[in-house]
Amino acid sequence: MNKKYEKTRERIFANPVPANIKWRDIETMLVSLGAEIEERAGSRIVVKLGNEVQVFHRPHPDPDTKKGAVTAMRKFLEKAGV
């Protein structure tokens, strides 16, 4: 994982939970970790990483990820062993 992706991961696991992480940074970090991202209806995506699978909603129209979604991503990454 390069420095940019590592910084994104650190921000996801930071306390307090940040609310200004760009969703595209999260997606590129996931891909660098080996995740498969599958498009679904609307703004939904399915993320598969290891044995973990979860549906997320891309934020719109604002590109920043809300705190609740960051927390959900944190839990997903923990379950996947990141």
Side-chain angles (χ1 to χ4, degrees):
M1 182 182 305
N2 74 26
K3 293 271 187 198
K4 181 176 181 178
Y5 304 145
E6 181 65 24
K7 185 173 181 172
T8 301
R9 188 195 61 78
E10 287 173 1
R11 292 188 66 217
I12 290 170
F13 286 94
N15 283 311
V17 176
N20 61 348
I21 302 173
K22 302 287 185 222
W23 180 257
R24 71 176 177 271
D25 292 343
I26 292 174
E27 277 195 49
T28 55
M29 179 206 63
L30 289 168
V31 170
S32 79
L33 291 169
E36 295 177 33
I37 298 177
E38 200 176 298
E39 302 289 330
R40 291 291 170 100
S43 62
R44 289 184 211 97
I45 60 169
V46 174
V47 180
K48 298 174 185 177
L49 182 60
N51 293 326
E52 296 301 317
V53 178
Q54 187 161 339
V55 176
F56 291 97
H57 291 263
R58 285 187 178 119
H60 57 83
D62 187 19
D64 292 338
T65 309
K66 295 186 178 175
K67 289 182 179 188
V70 174
T71 301
M73 181 60 66
R74 179 188 296 186
K75 290 177 183 175
F76 171 75
L77 291 172
E78 287 173 341
K79 287 180 185 177
V82 175

